[in-house]
Amino acid sequence: MLRRRDRGHRRGQAPGSWAYAHRAGEEEYGFFGTFHSVVPDTRAVQTFEFAGAPGHVNLDEVTFEDLPGGRTRILTRSVHQSVEARDAMVGSGMADGMSEGYDRLDELLASDVVA
C-alpha cells in the first residue's frame, strides 16, 4: 500500500516537496524529497531520502522518452553522496522494490482502470 503526502508541488511548478509511505504488512517505509526542476512530460530533478537513513540524500533525474506504440521509456539517474551510500542503497533491496513497482505500473496501465 502506498500513501502519498503532497507538500505543495503542483504539476510543472518547482520547487516543491513531496513525501510518501509504503506499507508492507506491518512495516512502513517513508520517503521524501524536494523537486528542483520539473518539465511536464519530459524531465524531473529531485532529491530522494529514505526516512530510515536520514542524511543520506540522493539527487535523482527522471526523463521520459516517447516510444512507438504509445509507450514511454523512463530513465532514472541517481547521484549518491558516496560510493558507500550507493552500495548501501543497492544492498537494501531497493532495486527489487523498484522493479516490482514498475511491474505493478505496467499492470495498471494495461488494465481498464486507466483510459
Side-chain angles (χ1 to χ4, degrees):
M1 180 174 111
L2 199 61
R3 188 174 72 239
R4 187 178 131 235
R5 295 181 210 130
D6 192 348
R7 295 184 179 168
H9 173 72
R10 288 185 209 100
R11 183 177 166 88
Q13 297 177 346
S17 60
W18 60 269
Y20 68 88
H22 173 78
R23 181 171 291 155
E26 295 298 314
E27 301 279 331
E28 184 170 290
Y29 305 94
F31 305 90
F32 57 93
T34 301
F35 288 102
H36 292 269
S37 173
V38 176
V39 179
D41 303 320
T42 303
R43 177 179 181 263
V45 176
Q46 67 182 27
T47 56
F48 175 89
E49 187 170 356
F50 171 47
H56 295 277
V57 181
N58 298 343
L59 183 63
D60 295 344
E61 175 188 35
V62 180
T63 57
F64 304 94
E65 181 183 328
D66 286 333
L67 298 175
R71 299 176 308 135
T72 303
R73 176 178 291 137
I74 300 171
L75 301 169
T76 304
R77 195 171 304 151
S78 296
V79 178
H80 300 268
Q81 292 174 307
S82 67
V83 171
E84 294 80 15
R86 180 205 61 198
D87 292 349
M89 181 73 74
V90 170
S92 74
M94 184 159 183
D96 294 335
M98 297 264 315
S99 292
E100 180 183 323
Y102 284 127
D103 289 344
R104 292 175 81 182
L105 178 60
D106 285 344
E107 291 171 14
L108 176 65
L109 293 173
S111 73
D112 291 336
V113 175
V114 178

